[in-house]
Amino acid sequence: MKQELLNKYSVPVPRYTSYPPANFFNESFTSGLYRDSVIVSNTQKPEHISIYIHIPFCYQMCYYCGCNSQLLKDKASVGDYIKALKKEIRMVLPLLDHSRKISQIHYGGGTPTSQPVVVLKEINQMILSEFDCIEDPEIAIECHPGYMNEQYWLDLIQAGFNRISIGVQDFNEDVLKVSNRKASRMPIEDIVKIIRDNGLSLNMDFIYGLPLQTPESFAETINKAISLKPDRIVTFSYAHVPWVNKLQENLEKIGLPSVETKSRIYETAKGLLMNAGYKTIGLDHFVLPDDELYKALESKALHRNFQGYCTRRTTGQVYAFGITGISQLASAYSQNTKDLNTYIEQVNKGALPIAKGYVLSREEQITREVISELMCNYTVNWEQIAERMNITIESVKDALNYNKTVLAEFAKDGIIEFDEGHITVLPGAAPFVRNVAASLDKLMLNSEKKYSKSI
């Protein structure tokens, strides 16, 4: 990438894991509105049910983390949290139409594997005993390998999980040390063998943009990952947001890679992965050619929800449980309280622990469809969007900040091509897709909200 383009477009823009972004959620959204939205969601699309379970506890706090997490130190409060979590699930499941099917269950955190496997298995059984599943549902969990022995890995398999995401972050132990991240307890090769021998799908997650990382050092990490051949490799761009997590200030003391170096780290990793036969998905995912995500991308049917990239076969409206859990319904978002004690108190009183949310206007639902299409498939066909939303092409564009002058600037810089029928992000310009999406977003006009930089 040309340095002038990096300088021009490395500006704060939303990551667009949701639309509108979560910082637009407001406290006027009540538990009553959420309950009503859940009931209405039974008649809306997508029909499938996607479940997110948030386990906030961690053995130690990684400095780069932007998630809602806390130290695992008070066993009594952990037990109270798990009881409240189960109670919240029992409060919401009766509101769902039981003819609908489960397509995804995803455990995130924090560190979900901070809990005994028996706890995770009980939660899975609570959900799966009440609903049928689609064929080949995805039951996934994020794993911190720093604390897991062989028996724990085997027990996870018995608990019903069929996709394992290993949070490696970097194989360079110096990088992990300055990031306050513990390296894997077992040799990674032994972990991979257990997972493969039992027929599970395997993701490996990495972060680039951390202190001490260089294109050369991260290339060693990626080459090691390639040798293990996971189904999916994710290279998350480190989002420096110290106003969200003060722990990130510790990384500033060591020094973060420059925008140029961070870009070279990504491009080097991307080149290695593509040369090894992996295919690019979205901004940061790389998958093997036979993965259904790549097949979906080839047919321009890739999708995304709060669980991450998925296909339209597996996507569902997301119902989230636990602190800070974000439910993503067809016409509304809802986020639970982030305070552990407040969460436990509210659930024990029989109240849904809603802190804030957002009801999408019809215009915002259209914008969400456009931005999701662009972020996932790098192209927007106006006729297809109009057909999917049952409106005219003019109505689609009217919902957006559709400005031909701005689009022409992107085209001049070699980022997109566009005409009256489509916008397409050009090969090699994928890191700028967030910028293109933000240019179409009316909510970004005169917005003073804070975001991480796009590069």
Side-chain angles (χ1 to χ4, degrees), residues 77-373:
S77 64
V78 172
D80 290 342
Y81 177 79
I82 296 300
K83 289 177 184 176
L85 178 66
K86 292 177 181 178
K87 185 171 182 179
E88 184 195 4
I89 294 171
R90 287 192 292 267
M91 289 165 62
V92 173
L93 293 191
L95 303 177
L96 299 176
D97 181 344
H98 279 50
S99 68
R100 298 170 67 191
K101 293 182 178 182
I102 299 284
S103 59
Q104 295 175 308
I105 299 176
H106 186 96
Y107 287 74
T111 306
T113 51
S114 65
Q115 297 305 296
V117 178
V118 64
V119 171
L120 309 175
K121 186 175 182 178
E122 287 173 356
I123 295 171
N124 278 345
Q125 289 175 336
M126 279 180 63
I127 298 166
L128 296 173
S129 64
E130 293 209 24
F131 295 88
D132 290 332
C133 293
I134 66 168
E135 184 178 356
D136 298 325
E138 190 169 89
I139 316 297
I141 185 166
E142 299 169 10
C143 301
H144 188 335
Y147 303 90
M148 299 169 66
N149 60 20
E150 181 176 358
Q151 190 58 53
Y152 196 105
W153 290 106
L154 292 171
D155 289 345
L156 273 185
I157 296 161
Q158 295 303 314
F161 293 97
N162 57 24
R163 180 173 293 279
I164 301 294
S165 291
I166 302 177
V168 178
Q169 318 312 357
D170 199 314
F171 285 121
N172 185 314
E173 294 196 14
D174 290 335
V175 172
L176 296 182
K177 186 175 181 180
V178 298
S179 302
N180 205 38
R181 175 81 173 182
K182 186 174 180 179
S184 181
R185 177 174 177 174
M186 291 175 59
I188 193 70
E189 295 82 1
D190 293 351
I191 297 171
V192 171
K193 186 175 188 308
I194 292 171
I195 293 169
R196 290 301 190 203
D197 286 350
N198 287 275
L200 277 67
S201 299
L202 174 61
N203 294 16
M204 284 187 183
D205 298 341
F206 300 90
I207 297 177
Y208 68 94
L210 297 176
L212 305 186
Q213 286 180 331
T214 65
E216 295 75 21
S217 73
F218 201 65
E220 292 180 10
T221 281
I222 295 300
N223 277 325
K224 183 170 182 177
I226 289 169
S227 73
L228 298 167
K229 206 172 182 180
D231 303 287
R232 299 174 184 174
I233 292 176
V234 187
T235 56
F236 291 115
S237 171
Y238 167 63
H240 192 58
V241 286
W243 58 88
V244 175
N245 181 8
K246 281 191 152 305
L247 285 174
Q248 292 188 347
E249 293 176 356
N250 290 291
L251 303 181
E252 295 177 356
K253 299 172 185 175
I254 302 159
L256 297 166
S258 67
V259 171
E260 181 182 13
T261 299
K262 189 177 179 183
S263 174
R264 285 174 51 224
I265 290 172
Y266 169 78
E267 293 294 340
T268 300
K270 179 181 178 180
L272 291 170
L273 288 162
M274 293 185 71
N275 287 338
Y278 281 86
K279 304 296 184 180
T280 57
I281 297 292
L283 288 174
D284 43 31
H285 282 53
F286 299 86
V287 304
L288 294 174
D290 59 351
D291 193 290
E292 74 171 332
L293 290 185
Y294 181 62
K295 293 176 182 177
L297 177 62
E298 282 191 303
S299 61
K300 302 302 179 186
L302 189 66
H303 192 57
R304 186 179 181 116
N305 60 27
F306 264 118
Q307 315 290 51
Y309 289 104
C310 54
T311 67
R312 292 197 177 272
R313 181 190 76 83
T314 56
T315 193
Q317 294 182 74
V318 179
Y319 303 85
F321 302 95
I323 60 171
T324 68
I326 299 177
S327 296
Q328 181 183 18
L329 310 183
S331 57
Y333 294 100
S334 176
Q335 184 166 23
N336 283 351
T337 179
K338 67 179 182 179
D339 182 74
L340 187 78
N341 292 329
T342 302
Y343 172 82
I344 293 170
E345 289 171 8
Q346 288 186 342
V347 172
N348 286 340
K349 291 177 181 176
L352 292 170
I354 308 304
K356 53 188 176 180
Y358 196 94
V359 177
L360 283 80
S361 67
R362 182 60 174 164
E363 185 175 84
E364 289 164 345
Q365 291 176 43
I366 295 167
T367 304
R368 176 175 65 183
E369 191 70 21
V370 170
I371 287 180
S372 175
E373 192 76 4

Side-chain angles (χ1 to χ4, degrees), residues 52-56 67-69 81 85 106 108-110 321-325:
Y52 175 75
I53 308 292
H54 190 78
I55 306 291
C67 304
N68 186 293
S69 54
Y81 177 79
L85 178 66
H106 186 96
F321 302 95
I323 60 171
T324 68

